[in-house]
Amino acid sequence: MKIGYACIPLGVKYSTNRRFLLKNFSEDRFLDTTMANLLDLKKILKYNIENGIYLFRISSDIIPLGSHNINDLQWYSLFKDILKDIGNYIKTNNIRVTMHPGQYTVLNSPNPEVVKKSIKDIEYHCTFLDSINADYKSKIIIHVGGIYNDKYEAMDRFKLNFKLLSESAKKRLIIENDEKSYSISDVLNIGESIAIPVVFDNLHHSLNPSLSPNIKDILHRVSKTWGTKDGPMKLHYSDMAHNKKPGAHSNFVNTSNFLEFYNEVSSLLPDIMLEVKDKDLSAIKCIDCVTPHNVDINNIWDKYKFTVLERSQSLYDKCYNALKSNDVFGLYKEIDKALSMPIKLEYQIHTLKYILHAFEDNLLPKEQNRLLSLINKNEISKAKGLLNRISTKNNLNLTNTYFFIY
DNA sequence: CACCGTCAAGTCGCA
DNA sequence: TGCGACTTGACGGTG
């Protein structure tokens, strides 16, 4: 069972999302941007392995304007060596990678131009996975698309247009239930009819439910759409964001909710893709909670302690108790409580002063004075921004914490 | 350096 | 028939 995240790690500053505007397209710009993205992809995969993350969604931006008409460069041969290198790294380390074209890729549109572009986009994703020599457990996930006043006609059009894909893309394409049009029941009908795997998304299902109220019954049927060559069934998991629009993803995974879900589904041995704002941070948390015996709880606390301290002194103390009793789940539960709280000015000042003291030997007197004077003027966000830049420049241990992330 | 409009793209609801 | 919302991070121009 693998637990992973989508596209953008927060714990490291590598990015595979460099891009440029269409009007700025040039061969040089394309080559530079693509190379930078690919080099960072390898670094992200390494970072993932160091953190026990073996499931990763590769960003569609990896090849900028990869499926656009303006781009007729043979990037898959131009970057053949590095693509092969990435592919070998993925294979050697038993990583599973997937891709997820965006909302504008609509295979079932009644507009032939849209279908044509959508096929081109799916084929671009497929070419990328082919170019790194990924096996057919590496999937391309899309939603079914629009309704156009007749859902069943639109579903039929999906099945017909599916036939227009290349053989490789047909082996990679899988479909996911969405939050308003195609419920898991609809998606299963299509998946079973054209023999492609189905991804169950718990958040979309809660907003657009169908079939049995018992998720396990549904998943049992979903799992049958996954053949041996497809690899383990893949699920999308996310919590709903409170105080935002229904369907928005939460800022972080609630540990208790996740474990409840996990315990319900784990016997089916799925791979779970988290769709959450804090990305790898929640992935690491979920993996830690599922395999707490592999974890050094002190490392967890080192990353989160300033984030907790900024919000609540009493939760800081509770965390400390969990730490002392080596209770990984307990520690994360208290961290979750802290993360759901706003930063409190007085605690933030206290935290900054504490950090200044702790890193006294790593800061120049001039830097300390500038920081202190900002703090004393109550310009806290400026102080924190400055501290962030200084930490990055001097490579302080502080950059390994989540203090500048949450 | 902080801020903000724009972006390659499609669908749907509403006027 | 046409426009804004939806969703989203990064670019790129401005002050």
Side-chain angles (χ1 to χ4, degrees), chain A residues 102-109 114-115 118 142-146 148 161:
Chain A
Q103 59 182 319
Y104 299 109
T105 302
V106 186
L107 192 55
N108 78 340
S109 173
V114 172
V115 174
S118 297
I142 62 170
H143 294 284
V144 177
Y148 316 96
N161 291 341

Side-chain angles (χ1 to χ4, degrees), chain A residues 216-232:
Chain A
K216 202 150 178 203
D217 290 344
I218 296 174
L219 290 186
H220 197 69
R221 188 170 152 201
V222 171
S223 70
K224 291 193 174 133
T225 64
W226 291 80
T228 317
K229 63 183 188 326
D230 298 315

Side-chain angles (χ1 to χ4, degrees), chain A residues 91-132:
Chain A
K91 195 153 288 178
T92 309
N93 290 285
N94 191 26
I95 302 168
R96 187 182 201 184
V97 293
T98 64
M99 297 186 87
H100 196 341
Q103 59 182 319
Y104 299 109
T105 302
V106 186
L107 192 55
N108 78 340
S109 173
N111 179 340
E113 273 306 303
V114 172
V115 174
K116 201 172 132 193
K117 281 191 248 174
S118 297
I119 289 174
K120 198 168 178 207
D121 194 47
I122 293 167
E123 295 296 344
Y124 147 67
H125 287 84
C126 187
T127 302
F128 184 84
L129 293 173
D130 289 348
S131 75
I132 59 171

Side-chain angles (χ1 to χ4, degrees), chain A residues 174-339:
Chain A
I174 62 179
I175 44 178
E176 174 192 351
N177 58 315
D178 68 70
E179 77 278 21
K180 60 173 201 238
S181 301
Y182 293 94
S183 69
I184 192 65
S185 167
D186 303 322
V187 175
L188 274 165
N189 284 341
I190 297 173
E192 286 164 354
S193 157
I194 58 176
I196 62 174
V198 166
V199 170
F200 176 82
D201 181 302
N202 75 307
L203 182 62
H204 295 158
H205 180 69
S206 72
L207 295 160
N208 184 14
S210 64
L211 299 176
S212 158
N214 180 350
I215 284 178
K216 202 150 178 203
D217 290 344
I218 296 174
L219 290 186
H220 197 69
R221 188 170 152 201
V222 171
S223 70
K224 291 193 174 133
T225 64
W226 291 80
T228 317
K229 63 183 188 326
D230 298 315
M233 163 172 73
K234 209 168 146 287
L235 304 177
H236 286 179
Y237 177 84
S238 49
D239 292 318
M240 185 108 70
H242 307 293
N243 59 44
K244 280 191 217 158
K245 292 193 176 61
H249 292 144
S250 65
N251 291 331
F252 59 91
V253 167
N254 176 295
T255 310
S256 303
N257 291 353
F258 175 78
L259 283 177
E260 194 183 321
F261 180 81
Y262 179 86
N263 289 329
E264 202 174 348
V265 306
S266 60
S267 63
L268 293 160
L269 303 175
D271 286 347
I272 303 176
M273 178 65 74
L274 305 179
E275 296 191 318
V276 61
K277 288 254 169 25
D278 73 353
K279 306 283 185 182
D280 49 323
L281 278 44
S282 272
I284 292 169
K285 169 164 74 181
C286 292
I287 292 166
D288 285 351
C289 286
V290 170
T291 50
H293 45 281
N294 292 342
V295 178
D296 180 352
I297 195 169
N298 293 295
N299 289 342
I300 302 171
W301 184 229
D302 283 344
K303 287 179 179 170
Y304 279 101
K305 61 183 173 191
F306 299 131
T307 302
V308 174
L309 190 57
E310 273 190 306
R311 289 164 174 81
S312 165
Q313 178 71 54
S314 68
L315 285 174
Y316 186 90
D317 296 339
K318 283 186 183 166
C319 285
Y320 201 73
N321 291 335
L323 180 77
K324 287 298 141 201
S325 42
N326 201 32
D327 178 4
V328 170
F329 177 39
L331 175 59
Y332 273 125
K333 271 201 294 191
E334 301 303 334
I335 288 172
D336 284 351
K337 281 186 209 160
L339 289 177

